[in-house]
């Protein structure tokens, strides 16, 4: 009889209910588990677990694996309950026209915005791997047609502190978390009657009773109900953000603009009355001080945090390269713009670069709570899949010049390729052939969200490197490899399983940023060496620095930014499932449909580039000298090896598409700059040279579309324009990809 009961139990278990694939993945990532860890625990292959989580067509586990998998998911569901669905608190459509940069004392009716990138020491624009999967459709948030009308005021004595002003009909409410029901942030302004108002997301306006900066911080924490729930199980809730207009700065005793000395220091001096006022009220400032992005806090008590962040646009907090004219917008429009970014990415924590880095940590916090000990107490422990809470030193080849691990090198020693890992984006061009000169146009295509797509699915090191002599190359092992790739001949390479003959002189080398063929042993990241093997050539590394502790650390970061980008582009009328011709038409002038929403797109892309750049942040003055540590080295997220791996992979994926395109069409690029490729063509459109057949692209080649890794039209110029520019500057290999967008050539040397 017991055997029958066992058989019945097994039969019931084989039909254990499971949540949808999306929820399965959410629960796994919330606990910091990798696919490999789940696969090992359930004694199945990694691909099997991946199939159970597939959003397109998930497979279903069977037999004992299903029972064990259901048990795992049920336990995780108890630890990480599904959050209630919250409507996007920010409307997708902005109305009105940009307002002039004047003091906004009265709620007016127009909009305005900043844009992103990485500086020369930490920013490398790079092409990216393709992700052709179309995400779930995103429903655009309803538009707000008008500003909230002011309610009639009776008397100041009858006014309730924090009372809500009227919001327009159809305005979406704030988040469902009652602690943050008024949204993640507010823009603080002063109206014509001298009343301080806080413009929140969703068109909500609050009265602010605070008379001083310390009392404004108190009000924000006790009454404003601002903030944002944590992005992952072990993470922390986002602190409320206050954006202060010029009128609000004057009201709270702060200067409207910083002096040259203050701007250089990035903060107000310690002796400023506002700083002293905060100190008397026992509020503290971080090392950044009271600057464009300030954090005002008191030490945390248990899980309770007391911290408010300030953003001051007139102090250049919103860099116009990334946020456009956002800093000049009326308060309600600025609240909607920043609220859109906050709801889809995260509450800004500083520049877009800082926010990109903080997003990595928010999705993979370094610690989590342990299981209760004998006294029932939980303690912080390492969160699997994160970078941990302690920084690790890079391998010597991965360290930038001046790093402490290179302190023993001679003072003026210049490291070559055999001593230094140099994985950067493409900057390559060649003279046009006679046949290309007979064509009429130069057409540029650009990879969407190149850096983000380069991070998708990439296995990176999580811990410190291990030095290995004469290792066998392992394409699944992240690290840096010293290997000679000079024997790889692009005239004869493998494309798939077939060997093909190409004109190698018309192709950039995939192994150097300048596209030159390497001359001997050099350091490369794993994706670069793996590509040499893919092309059909043997590799024999001399030595390597590898990371046995590794994982797909950037997957959640990529997914968050991809979804934000696609949702915002969909709001601008560019959907992920458009046919090629329709996609090109939709992209034409998309920024003009809603200039403020276009700023959000710019900021999202800058978050990607800047976040990756921050992984190798260089010294920023402060009296630093070569061989000494600088501030960024104290972060566990200072990881130049991860940045190099992303750049390596994106450059290689772009080269793979170039090779497949050349093998199929006989067409070769004229210039490549980061994620932009220029071809000579008889027609002005990408469809005039991309090999589409019945609406379908070349498999593995360039494909038009908005998804990260797909390409869009960058710009078209005449072939005669290209030849004239090169002749004018006596530069036959001038990189035309740099100027293809609008044809303006201002400074050849600086590339501006």
């Amino acid at each position: 009889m017991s055997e029958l009961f066992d058989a019945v139990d097994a039969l019931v278990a084989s039909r254990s209910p499971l949540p949808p694939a999306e929820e399965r993945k959410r629960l796994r990532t919330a606990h910091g588990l990798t696919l490999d860890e789940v696969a090992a625990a359930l004694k199945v292959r990694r691909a099997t677990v991946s199939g159970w989580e597939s959003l397109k067509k998930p497979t279903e586990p069977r037999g004992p694996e299903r029972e064990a998998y259901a048990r795992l998911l049920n336990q995780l569901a108890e630890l990480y309950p599904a959050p209630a669905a919250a409507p996007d608190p920010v409307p997708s459509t902005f109305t009105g026209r940009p307002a002039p940069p004047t003091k906004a004392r009265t709620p007016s009716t127009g909009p305005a915005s900043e844009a992103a990138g990485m500086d020369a020491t930490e920013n490398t624009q790079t092409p990216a791997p393709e992700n052709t999967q179309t995400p779930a459709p995103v429903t655009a948030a309803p538009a707000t047609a008008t500003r909230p009308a002011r309610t009639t005021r009776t008397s100041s004595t009858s006014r309730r502190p924090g009372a809500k002003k009227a919001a327009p009909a159809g305005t979406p409410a704030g988040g469902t978390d009652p602690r943050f029901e008024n949204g993640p942030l507010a823009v603080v302004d002063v109206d014509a009657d001298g009343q301080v108002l806080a413009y929140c997301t969703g068109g909500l306006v609050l009265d602010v009773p605070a008379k001083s900066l310390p009392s404004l911080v108190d009000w924000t924490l006790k009454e404003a109900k601002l903030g944002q729930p944590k992005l992952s199980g072990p993470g922390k809730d986002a602190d409320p953000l206050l954006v202060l207009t010029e009128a609000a700065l004057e009201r709270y005793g702060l200067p409207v603009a910083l002096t040259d000395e203050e701007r250089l220091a990035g903060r107000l001096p310690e002796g400023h009355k506002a700083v002293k006022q905060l100190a008397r009220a026992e509020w503290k400032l971080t090392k950044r001080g009271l600057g464009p992005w300030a954090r005002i806090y008191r030490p945390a008590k248990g899980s309770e945090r007391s911290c408010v962040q300030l953003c001051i646009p007139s102090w250049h907090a919103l860099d116009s390269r990334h946020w456009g004219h956002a800093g000049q917008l009326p308060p309600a429009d600025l609240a909607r713009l920043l609220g859109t970014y906050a709801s889809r990415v995260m509450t800004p924590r500083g520049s877009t670069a800082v926010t990109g880095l903080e997003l990595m940590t928010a999705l993979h916090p370094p610690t989590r709570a342990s299981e209760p000990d004998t006294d029932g107490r939980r303690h912080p422990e390492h969160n699997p899949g994160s970078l941990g809470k302690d920084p690790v030193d890079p391998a010597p080849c991965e360290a930038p010049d001046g790093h402490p691990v290179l302190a023993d090198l001679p003072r003026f020693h210049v490291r070559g390729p055999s001593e230094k890992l140099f994985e950067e984006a493409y900057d390559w061009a060649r003279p046009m052939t006679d046949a290309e000169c007979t064509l009429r146009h130069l057409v540029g295509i650009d990879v969407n969200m190149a850096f983000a797509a380069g991070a998708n699915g990439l296995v990176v090191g999580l811990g410190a490197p291990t030095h290995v002599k004469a290792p066998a190359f392992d394409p699944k092992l992240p690290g840096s490899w010293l290997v000679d790739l000079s024997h790889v001949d692009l005239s004869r390479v493998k494309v798939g399983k077939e060997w093909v003959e190409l004109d190698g002189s018309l192709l950039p080398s995939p192994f150097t940023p300048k596209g030159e063929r390497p001359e001997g042993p050099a350091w490369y990241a794993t994706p670069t060496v793996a590509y040499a093997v893919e092309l059909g050539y043997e590799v024999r590394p001399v030595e390597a620095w590898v990371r046995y502790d590794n994982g797909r650390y950037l997957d959640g970061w990529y997914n968050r930014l991809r979804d934000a980008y696609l949702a915002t582009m969909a709001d601008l009328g560019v959907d992920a499932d458009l046919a090629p011709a329709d996609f090109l038409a939709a992209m034409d002038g998309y920024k003009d449909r809603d200039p403020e929403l276009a700023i959000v797109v710019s900021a999202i892309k800058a978050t990607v580039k800047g976040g990756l750049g921050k992984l190798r942040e260089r010294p920023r003055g402060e009296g630093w000298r070569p061989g000494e540590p600088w501030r960024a080295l104290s972060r566990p997220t200072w990881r130049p090896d991860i940045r190099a791996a992303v750049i390596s992979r994106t450059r290689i994926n772009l080269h793979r598409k170039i090779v497949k395109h050349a093998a199929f069409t006989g067409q070769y690029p004229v210039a490549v700059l980061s994620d932009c490729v220029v071809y000579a063509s008889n027609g002005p459109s990408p469809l005039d040279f991309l090999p589409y057949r019945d609406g379908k692209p070349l498999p593995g080649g360039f494909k038009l579309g908005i998804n990260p890794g797909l390409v869009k039209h960058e710009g078209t110029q005449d072939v005669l324009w290209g030849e004239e520019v090169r002749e004018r500057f006596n530069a036959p290999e001038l990189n035309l990809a740099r100027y293809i967008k609008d044809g303006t050539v201002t400074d050849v040397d600086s590339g501006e």
Side-chain angles (χ1 to χ4, degrees), residues 519-689:
E519 297 179 352
W523 285 99
Y524 302 100
T526 297
T528 303
V529 185
Y531 186 55
V533 176
E534 179 185 327
L535 291 176
Y537 291 86
E538 183 182 14
V539 297
R540 294 181 180 178
V542 178
E543 59 178 301
W545 290 89
V546 296
R547 288 173 167 82
Y548 295 109
D549 179 14
N550 55 65
R552 293 167 61 160
Y553 173 71
L554 295 173
D555 273 11
W557 183 80
Y558 162 77
N559 290 331
R560 180 85 177 172
L561 290 163
R562 175 203 61 193
D563 292 347
Y565 174 69
L566 292 179
T568 312
M569 290 301 295
D571 290 343
L572 286 165
V574 186
D575 295 311
D577 56 356
L578 293 173
D582 295 335
F583 167 71
L584 292 175
M587 286 294 293
D588 187 19
Y590 78 93
K591 294 182 179 180
D592 298 331
R593 291 173 205 143
D594 193 328
E596 278 65 55
L597 203 55
I599 291 172
V600 178
V601 174
S602 173
I604 292 170
K605 293 193 288 187
T607 303
V608 175
K609 298 175 183 178
L612 291 172
K614 278 281 185 181
L615 292 170
R616 199 193 67 166
E617 184 176 0
R618 303 303 304 276
R620 295 181 175 272
E622 302 175 346
W624 174 80
R625 294 181 178 180
E628 296 177 350
W630 57 92
R631 183 183 299 179
L633 301 189
S634 63
R635 299 192 322 249
T637 49
W638 192 86
R639 292 295 300 272
D641 58 296
I642 296 179
R643 173 186 177 274
V646 174
I647 292 174
S648 163
R649 188 172 188 229
T650 53
R651 191 184 69 244
I652 291 307
N653 276 340
L654 182 63
H655 194 274
R656 182 182 293 113
K657 295 177 190 296
I658 290 172
V659 166
K660 288 193 174 182
H661 184 85
F664 189 80
T665 67
Q667 298 169 336
Y668 295 84
V670 171
V672 184
L673 181 68
S674 185
D675 47 8
C676 177
V677 188
V678 176
Y679 284 91
S681 169
N682 261 328
S685 166
L687 288 174
D688 291 317
F689 71 92

Side-chain angles (χ1 to χ4, degrees), residues 423-439:
E423 294 283 9
E424 298 294 345
Y426 266 132
D427 185 356
W428 169 88
R430 62 170 176 81
M432 283 186 277
T433 64
D434 292 342
E436 288 167 340
C437 289
T438 64
L439 302 178

